[in-house]
Amino acid sequence: MKAIFVIAAVQRRPQLRQWLVKRGQSTITAEAGASSAPAATTVPNAASNRILGRWLVGCSGLVVGAVVLGGVTRLTESGLSMVDWHLVREMKPPQSQAEWEAEFSKYQQFPEFKIMNRDMTLPEFKFIFYMEWGHRMWGRLVGLAYILPTVYFWRKGYFNRSMKGKVLGLCGFVFFQGLLGWYMVKSGLEEKPESYDVPRVSQYRLSAHLGSALLLYCASLWTGLTLLLPTPKLTETKRLLQLRRFAKGTGGLVFLTALSGAFVAGLDAGLVYNSFPKMGERWIPDDLLAFSPALKNFFENPTTVQFDHRILGISSLAAITGLYMFSRRMILPRRAKIAISLLTAMAYGQVALGISTLLLYVPTPLAATHQSGSVALLSLAIWVLAELRKMPK
């Protein structure tokens, strides 16, 4: 009955009929517009790049913290205080006196205590334990800083195809770095009856651990800077191409010098010849090639390792000075000039720190500053490369 009444009313009133027709047309149009609208809004490219760039630069800063803390842990001989590895369980340090004594008892079963620290007290053990525990917890923080934002940004659609591969590689590298750290520590816990040396981690594994951390840092910083910094407007000339190649070679030399420092730390090579510029009374020491075969000296002879580090450091300084002099004869953007100038100033400061550390018999604060300086120098080299990079086609 109601339907019949409505139809009759419509037939009697033409205005009402026209209104219903218009309403039906507008409803259809609105539904069609809604169905054709995109399901989700897309993030502006420039805005997403800034967010990702800041995230990756922040992650690279956390990696620097891990490198510095690891260096201090090594200098205070704290790295072998935790004799096992658990991803979650070790996040909570011992709380009660009984738990501390149990942890100390485990440490007493390994070579470092038996050979070097037989007179160590429980408070002294707590200090080295907390140093290593802090380093491991920082490593977990680094992992979370990479993995959790990656999941979030991936779901939000911030990554293009290229960036997806990059962030997956970075996250995988973080996981690999954690495993490599334990593999390094394990080498210092092994019994070596044939050796009369003090217990220490393998210099090969230490260099691999530091090298992978530096690679992670360089990749994160480079990717972050290229997202944050506008592409430099440089005219492609022959001299610019030469400068760019020069800068790449110099950056590689700085990286190699930093990596050689891991062999110096692993062998305590900073304590064998505490003089400069000569090594003792000679420019080239007598025991430079004391090991056989000769190649073994470059990785296991403390004298050769220190000699190599000196040569690499001086070569890096010469290369950076040459880069600065070459760039002065070119017209470059202001930021590129600032980056090259800061790189040069840092190089001279780093060499001065290294010489001071050597002459003063490697005091922990100065040695830690020198190790941090190597990362600062590497950072400035990456900045220079970012300022000189090619414009994308």
Side-chain angles (χ1 to χ4, degrees):
M1 292 295 294
K2 289 182 179 179
I4 295 173
F5 175 76
V6 170
I7 293 171
V10 169
Q11 290 174 348
R12 288 195 302 268
R13 299 182 182 181
Q15 293 178 349
L16 179 61
R17 184 168 63 251
Q18 292 175 2
W19 177 79
L20 289 175
V21 170
K22 289 181 179 179
R23 183 182 179 187
Q25 290 176 348
S26 63
T27 302
I28 294 171
T29 304
E31 290 177 353
S35 62
S36 62
T41 58
T42 56
V43 180
N45 188 48
S48 65
N49 283 350
R50 283 195 300 270
I51 293 171
L52 295 178
R54 290 167 184 164
W55 164 55
L56 289 172
V57 170
C59 286
S60 67
L62 289 176
V63 175
V64 170
V67 171
V68 173
L69 189 54
V72 175
T73 302
R74 174 75 186 92
L75 289 166
T76 55
E77 298 181 343
S78 306
L80 300 178
S81 57
M82 296 179 70
V83 297
D84 46 20
W85 189 87
H86 301 283
L87 183 61
V88 178
R89 195 193 313 170
E90 71 181 25
M91 294 180 70
K92 181 181 178 182
Q95 302 293 314
S96 65
Q97 182 70 14
E99 289 177 345
W100 274 113
E101 290 177 353
E103 195 69 37
F104 191 28
S105 178
K106 288 195 293 185
Y107 173 70
Q108 291 172 345
Q109 300 171 22
F110 288 87
E112 185 174 71
F113 176 82
K114 294 177 182 178
I115 297 174
M116 294 176 58
N117 296 330
R118 294 191 66 87
D119 297 328
M120 176 175 280
T121 62
L122 183 59
E124 291 171 336
F125 171 72
K126 287 183 179 181
F127 171 77
I128 64 171
F129 182 92
Y130 273 124
M131 287 295 301
E132 174 64 9
W133 180 81
H135 181 51
R136 294 191 185 190
M137 292 306 103
W138 192 275
R140 284 163 174 75
L141 176 64
V142 172
L144 291 176
Y146 275 94
I147 294 170
L148 294 183
T150 294
V151 175
Y152 175 79
F153 292 139
W154 195 296
R155 296 188 65 180
K156 285 287 185 179
Y158 279 39
F159 299 139
N160 56 28
R161 185 174 182 180
S162 173
M163 187 58 66
K164 285 180 179 179
K166 291 176 182 178
V167 296
L168 285 178
L170 291 174
C171 291
F173 220 79
V174 171
F175 181 72
F176 171 74
Q177 175 72 359
L179 293 178
L180 193 56
W182 171 243
Y183 181 63
M184 176 194 70
V185 169
K186 194 176 179 181
S187 68
L189 300 174
E190 297 169 351
E191 296 279 356
K192 300 173 184 176
E194 73 284 354
S195 176
Y196 297 97
D197 202 358
V198 296
R200 58 163 64 99
V201 299
S202 164
Q203 70 272 23
Y204 296 102
R205 300 185 191 184
L206 175 62
S207 299
H209 187 49
L210 176 63
S212 62
L214 292 178
L215 284 175
L216 175 64
Y217 172 69
C218 292
S220 302
L221 183 61
W222 169 261
T223 307
L225 288 179
T226 53
L227 290 171
L228 282 175
L229 298 176
T231 305
K233 297 179 180 179
L234 298 169
T235 305
E236 294 294 327
T237 62
K238 183 178 180 181
R239 290 183 65 82
L240 178 62
L241 181 61
Q242 291 173 341
L243 180 66
R244 191 177 286 137
R245 289 174 177 171
F246 197 172
K248 289 179 181 178
T250 301
L253 189 57
V254 170
F255 182 90
L256 187 60
T257 304
L259 191 60
S260 74
F263 282 92
V264 174
L267 292 170
D268 290 328
L271 298 172
V272 292
Y273 283 98
N274 298 95
S275 58
F276 190 87
K278 293 183 178 181
M279 298 181 71
E281 299 297 325
R282 296 176 174 271
W283 290 102
I284 300 177
D286 294 332
D287 56 341
L288 188 67
L289 297 176
F291 293 5
S292 181
L295 184 63
K296 192 176 182 181
N297 290 278
F298 294 93
F299 306 103
E300 299 184 16
N301 185 343
T303 299
T304 312
V305 167
Q306 189 194 116
F307 181 81
D308 291 343
H309 192 60
R310 290 184 184 215
I311 297 300
L312 286 170
I314 294 170
S315 300
S316 296
L317 181 63
I320 291 171
T321 303
L323 180 70
Y324 175 78
M325 298 300 293
F326 189 81
S327 68
R328 294 286 290 178
R329 294 178 289 173
M330 298 179 61
I331 300 176
L332 295 173
R334 182 172 177 270
R335 274 206 325 265
K337 289 184 176 181
I338 292 174
I340 294 173
S341 298
L342 289 177
L343 175 67
T344 306
M346 186 64 218
Y348 280 90
Q350 177 68 353
V351 169
L353 276 173
I355 295 172
S356 301
T357 303
L358 185 69
L359 296 178
L360 295 174
Y361 291 86
V362 197
T364 298
L366 200 57
T369 305
H370 181 54
Q371 291 182 0
S372 304
S374 66
V375 183
L377 191 64
L378 187 60
S379 306
L380 290 169
I382 294 171
W383 183 23
V384 170
L385 290 173
E387 295 294 352
L388 298 178
R389 70 187 188 275
K390 287 183 178 181
M391 292 183 65
K393 295 181 180 180

